[in-house]
């Protein structure tokens, strides 16, 4: 996924935007067959000569329907006039209002959730689409969608109620995404301590470095903060992961890992406690920032900007990638950040997963069963879902040779070639950006074979390359794996997870602070005992796990 950032349009992906990990399955069940089945009229409409349709976005956006890319679509390829309408305010409120007042006119694209899918089907306003995925001569893009995605979308009657989008073209070899969770040392501080990156291979080596770094000074003469992270963004997950705890899911209710014939839930992993014991030890010894629990993002970024921190754990976007992306040399402390491998912890055989790669579709496109423009809709999304590695770039910025082009070879480096387009695109002004394209890359798919923002041909300032280097190296450090079915277990409507998940999160937040800041070993043990009691008494932990297992078993039935 691409997100424009910075005055010159450098692109970086925040984990908060990490929409990278949504559920694989839409909800089962649908309307009665006679209410929504394709009929002669719908099939005929698919072959009509319509050249335009209206697309409703399930998110807020600045819209300019005369954007340069939309003009290309209209006048060149695929010859379709796509008129976009954005959602105003809360998406679910807007959806309910729209469906209760006649529905959207032609097509709608929403982030995939069971709630949206269920609402669309129950409204009896959307068209079942399964027949159009089996017409390779007419719709090769739709026919090329991996069957594993389509099969999971079928309801009990075999209907598929949406066109899936923003999925990996090869679910067996998925793109790992913008891996950003790791450990980042200041190489200049490391050098001053007389240590090397090799000395940081173990958690004991990290401790040794933190003690040495605590004696170093920043530019103002203050002692450095040895270790810091943004707990407000759950950056401590990197430390938990280092201790072997899986801390991520793929849209599921809780992080879980397969162990033998069963499963181990995050709070039952003994290494969860061990990780907090280590953090508490650093906190008490003054080797950790004492403001990690209370710091907000801007305060944390300022500490990094001014060179106050010797070692960071967490997401580098939280540190603020802009700090180094604007640099062209060692003029600021941020230039010296270096990603290091996850330090080894005694007794831990592998890093716990902190990012689950979910190749399944993240978006759904629904079509009004009464649309007069079915042919135009199908032709357009057949175009956006052309299964080529560069297609997300084509849908986002137009085809090569129009507003951008390859530097030397296809699927290599690329740069913008239209100065007017680039100036508006990189202006930072939402209206100007909207004049270039509608940001509809989420209607396409992506591929591990080529990702545009790892191949952007502009290399100045040189700091821009650091972000790519970070994410590519972190992606190989062991904290990422592909989603399994147990990563996607969701809360059942009216079930215990729906009822107690908010309280489970409250318990986690409350006790991570108590565990981290306990004044001594006795206080830590007391906090841990209270945490276990709160999990059961307030969050009904045992009952939640039983319901989770039952839900997983039901999906396999």
């Amino acid at each position: 996924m691409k997100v424009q950032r910075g005055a010159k349009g450098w692109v970086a992906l925040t984990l908060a935007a990490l929409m990278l990990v949504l559920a694989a399955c839409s909800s089962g069940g649908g309307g009665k067959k006679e209410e929504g089945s394709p009929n002669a009229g719908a099939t005929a409409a698919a072959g009509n000569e319509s050249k335009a349709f209206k697309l409703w976005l399930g998110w807020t956006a600045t819209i300019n329907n005369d954007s340069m890319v939309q003009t290309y679509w209209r006048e060149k390829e695929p010859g379709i006039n796509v008129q976009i309408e954005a959602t105003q305010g809360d998406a679910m409120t807007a959806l309910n209002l729209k469906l209760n007042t006649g529905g959207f006119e032609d097509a709608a694209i929403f982030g995939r959730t069971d709630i949206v899918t269920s609402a669309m089907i129950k409204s009896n306003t959307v068209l079942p689409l399964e027949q159009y995925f089996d017409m390779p001569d007419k719709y090769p893009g739709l026919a090329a969608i991996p069957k594993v995605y389509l099969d999971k979308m079928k309801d009990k009657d075999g209907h598929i109620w949406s066109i899936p989008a923003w999925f990996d073209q090869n679910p067996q070899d998925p793109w790992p995404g913008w891996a950003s969770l790791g450990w980042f040392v200041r190489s200049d501080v490391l050098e001053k301590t007389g240590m090397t990156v090799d000395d940081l291979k173990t958690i004991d080596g990290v401790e040794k470095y933190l003690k040495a770094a605590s004696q170093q000074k920043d530019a103002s003469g203050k002692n450095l903060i040895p270790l810091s992270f943004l707990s407000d963004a759950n950056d401590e997950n990197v430390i938990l992961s280092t201790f072997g705890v899986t801390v991520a899911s793929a849209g599921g209710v809780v992080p879980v890992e397969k162990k033998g014939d069963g499963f181990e839930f995050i709070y039952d992993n003994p290494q969860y406690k061990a990780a907090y014991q280590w953090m508490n030890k650093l906190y008490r010894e003054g080797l950790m920032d004492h403001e990690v629990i209370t710091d907000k993002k801007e305060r944390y970024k300022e500490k990094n900007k001014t060179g106050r921190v010797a070692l960071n754990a967490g997401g580098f976007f939280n540190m603020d990638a802009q700090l180094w992306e604007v640099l062209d040399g060692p003029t600021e402390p941020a230039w010296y950040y270096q990603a290091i491998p996850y330090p080894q912890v005694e007794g831990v055989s592998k890093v716990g997963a902190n990012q689950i790669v979910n190749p399944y579709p993240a978006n759904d496109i629904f079509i009004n069963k009464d649309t007069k423009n079915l042919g135009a809709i199908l032709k357009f999304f057949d175009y956006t879902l052309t299964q080529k590695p560069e297609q997300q770039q084509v849908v986002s910025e137009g085809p090569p040779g129009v507003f951008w082009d390859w530097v030397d070879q296809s699927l290599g480096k690329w740069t913008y070639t239209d100065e007017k387009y680039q100036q508006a695109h990189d202006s930072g002004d939402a209206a100007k950006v909207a004049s270039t394209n509608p940001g509809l890359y989420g209607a396409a798919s992506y591929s591990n074979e080529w990702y545009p923002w790892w191949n952007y041909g502009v290399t100045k300032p040189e700091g821009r390359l650091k972000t790519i280097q970070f994410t590519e190296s972190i992606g190989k450090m062991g904290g990422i794996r592909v989603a399994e079915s147990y990563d996607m277990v969701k809360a059942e409507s009216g079930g215990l997870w729906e009822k107690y998940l908010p309280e489970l999160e409250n318990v986690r937040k409350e006790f991570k602070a108590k565990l981290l800041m306990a004044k001594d070993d006795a206080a830590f043990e007391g906090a841990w005992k209270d945490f276990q009691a709160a999990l059961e008494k307030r969050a009904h932990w045992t009952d939640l796990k039983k319901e989770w297992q039952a839900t997983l078993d039901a999906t396999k039935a």
Side-chain angles (χ1 to χ4, degrees), residues 315-386:
F316 64 69
F317 289 117
N318 295 333
M319 292 162 60
D320 192 2
Q322 192 93 17
L323 295 180
W324 54 79
E325 286 179 358
V326 299
L327 302 178
D328 208 11
T331 55
E332 299 289 341
W335 179 264
Y336 296 98
Y337 280 121
Q338 179 178 347
I340 62 172
Y342 283 69
Q344 292 180 320
V345 176
E346 186 177 357
V348 175
S349 59
K350 67 175 183 177
V351 174
N354 52 51
Q355 182 176 328
I356 307 294
V357 177
N358 186 351
Y360 281 81
N363 291 330
D364 283 299
I365 297 138
F366 300 90
I367 301 176
N368 189 310
K369 69 177 184 179
D370 295 323
T371 180
K372 303 290 193 297
N373 301 305
L374 181 58
I377 298 169
L378 293 174
K379 183 177 181 180
F380 178 73
F381 289 110
D382 182 70
Y383 167 75
T384 69
L385 291 169
T386 299

Side-chain angles (χ1 to χ4, degrees), residues 415-486:
T415 59
Y416 289 110
T417 54
D418 185 305
E419 184 177 354
K420 178 182 176 183
Y421 185 96
Q422 183 174 8
Q423 286 180 349
H425 182 278
D426 293 351
S427 65
D429 182 299
K432 290 181 180 179
V433 174
S435 74
T436 64
N437 70 71
L440 206 56
Y441 53 83
S445 56
Y446 52 91
S447 170
N448 198 19
E449 189 174 343
W450 186 81
Y451 179 70
W453 293 102
W454 290 358
N455 290 282
Y456 189 37
V458 176
T459 59
K460 295 292 183 179
E462 194 175 335
R464 290 180 168 189
L465 301 179
K466 282 183 171 289
T467 297
I468 296 172
Q469 292 165 355
F470 283 163
T471 196
E472 288 186 310
S473 62
I474 293 169
K476 301 172 184 177
M477 291 180 181
I480 300 176
R481 65 167 173 77
V482 177
E484 302 287 351
S485 58
Y486 54 81

